Amino acid sequence: MTLSSAPGKVYLFGEHAVVYGEPAVPCAIERRARVGVTRRDDGKLRVQADDLSLDGFTVEYGGQTGTRPDVDVSENLIAAAMGYVDGAIEQVRDVTGEADAGFDVTIESDIPLGAGLGSSAAVVVAAIDAATRELGVTLEPDELAERAFQTEYEVQDGQASRADTFCSATGGAVRVEGDDCRSIEAPDLPIVVGFDGGAGDTGELVAGVRSLREEYGFAADTVETIGDLVRTGEDVLADGDLEELGRLMDVNHGLLSALGVSSRSLDAMVWAARNAGAYGAKLTGAGGGGCIVALDPTDETETALSYTPGCEDAFRAELAEEGVKRLE
Ligand code: PMV
């Protein structure tokens, strides 16, 4: 078996605006997806996912597009796991030239699904890395990020930026603006995550911002303002001024809220963090439900979040310096 892991991420700044060419700054966190891969001789793909923060399931199918495995779990869950893994394996077959390669794939993840922490990107990055290595090919991080992006782009019908996949492949803090992805310096950030137990529908939320932006000039201005904020935020991040970083995260949350992508539980967690003395707090990712990110070097925010109605889990997350890890 070949085993790779890849981290999830939080957005310090810039989600949604990044879809329209503004810069964004995601940051990899030490919550990982681990994907183990063993080659099969019969060309089939078998996927086992025990721990995607959802009910466990095992599916086995022939690997042809359109084949639906006959198992008793929700369509969404099947689509989430199979779509991404299937797409990742297609990339592996393409890059290695082994069009008929089959695999047993085992996925374990401690990143909540669809909650703004980049769970799908982490699974795809780790799956491509492990499966290519299983066939004797080791990809450079840039190529791995590009192949993972292509997978997400196809599975998400073109609704994907390079932010999640690049960040997961390379680790650390990164800056993404269109096709231009680079690593940037970041201090050790005291990141606290609050999770409401839910998930937002990224496609729907992105479409909502798109129509608001088309309808109202001031919504288009709001998207541009997020871009201005990110450009300021990058300098503040380089200076390591956590208080100012927090203030800008607060403003970023307000702008996202104005674009309609926050929710009652996300707002409740953001306010609990602020009231507990966090430097700042905002939703992370597509919104609608899922996670917030706050900066607080003390235990206050984590404690306050754990008592906040609507918050299901609160945890501290270290910055993941390393992106993909080759474990076996
Ligand atoms: O919720 P996530 O982690 O999939 O992030 C979505 C971020 C968006 O900017 C809303 C969309 C994108 O692909 O950049």
Side-chain angles (χ1 to χ4, degrees):
M1 185 185 66
T2 309
L3 183 65
S4 296
S5 79
K9 61 102 216 344
V10 292
Y11 273 95
L12 285 183
F13 306 114
E15 54 273 85
H16 283 287
V18 71
V19 175
Y20 309 99
E22 301 293 346
V25 178
C27 194
I29 57 169
E30 273 307 340
R31 281 254 156 166
R32 287 182 175 263
R34 285 163 295 279
V35 180
V37 176
T38 306
R39 184 174 192 153
R40 284 173 76 108
D41 293 332
D42 60 5
K44 286 187 179 176
L45 179 60
R46 179 178 184 273
V47 181
Q48 185 173 352
D50 296 332
D51 184 15
L52 286 172
S53 304
L54 287 161
D55 296 336
F57 70 101
T58 304
V59 291
E60 186 164 1
Y61 80 128
Q64 299 96 343
T65 318
T67 310
R68 271 263 163 265
D70 179 22
V71 288
D72 185 22
V73 290
S74 83
E75 287 272 313
N76 281 350
L77 182 53
I78 297 275
M82 296 312 286
Y84 287 107
V85 176
D86 208 9
I89 295 303
E90 274 314 310
Q91 291 292 329
V92 170
R93 289 175 176 146
D94 184 58
V95 75
T96 58
E98 297 219 32
D100 300 326
F103 301 95
D104 279 326
V105 177
T106 308
I107 306 170
E108 256 181 51
S109 172
D110 36 52
I111 310 166
L113 271 186
L117 299 185
S119 57
S120 58
V123 167
V124 168
V125 166
I128 294 178
D129 190 71
T132 45
R133 289 194 304 116
E134 175 74 4
L135 299 182
V137 175
T138 302
L139 299 180
E140 293 297 325
D142 279 358
E143 166 101 51
L144 177 60
E146 180 59 26
R147 292 281 173 174
F149 165 68
Q150 291 301 336
T151 307
E152 287 221 317
Y153 191 83
E154 277 159 34
V155 177
Q156 293 169 197
D157 294 327
Q159 304 272 26
S161 72
R162 291 184 144 77
D164 284 23
T165 37
F166 183 77
C167 188
S168 186
T170 58
V174 306
R175 179 194 200 273
V176 176
E177 184 171 4
D179 292 353
D180 180 30
C181 304
R182 54 185 74 181
S183 297
I184 57 174
E185 289 298 317
D188 198 10
L189 296 170
I191 297 169
V192 181
V193 174
F195 174 40
D196 70 4
D201 182 328
T202 303
E204 214 169 87
L205 290 151
V206 169
V209 173
R210 175 165 290 128
S211 63
L212 206 61
R213 183 175 164 271
E214 278 163 10
E215 194 170 351
Y216 299 113
F218 52 80
D221 292 346
T222 303
V223 169
E224 279 181 34
T225 303
I226 293 177
D228 291 340
L229 182 144
V230 178
R231 283 180 278 271
T232 305
E234 286 174 66
D235 295 339
V236 174
L237 186 64
D239 290 346
D241 184 339
L242 297 184
E243 261 176 59
E244 200 181 344
L245 212 54
R247 205 176 314 135
L248 293 178
M249 287 167 68
D250 284 343
V251 177
N252 198 162
H253 182 76
L255 295 169
L256 287 166
S257 197
L259 292 173
V261 298
S262 192
S263 71
R264 190 182 285 258
S265 57
L266 293 173
D267 284 344
M269 293 190 289
V270 160
W271 277 107
R274 290 174 185 165
N275 290 339
Y279 291 131
K282 62 182 278 294
L283 67 84
T284 173
C291 292
I292 65 135
V293 52
L295 296 183
D296 186 354
T298 76
D299 293 337
E300 300 292 325
T301 294
E302 201 181 329
T303 307
L305 284 172
S306 66
Y307 288 106
T308 302
C311 176
E312 195 157 285
D313 194 13
F315 53 89
R316 185 166 287 286
E318 300 292 323
L319 183 87
E321 299 287 352
E322 224 180 318
V324 70
K325 272 192 196 170
R326 290 161 180 159
L327 303 164
E328 276 171 38

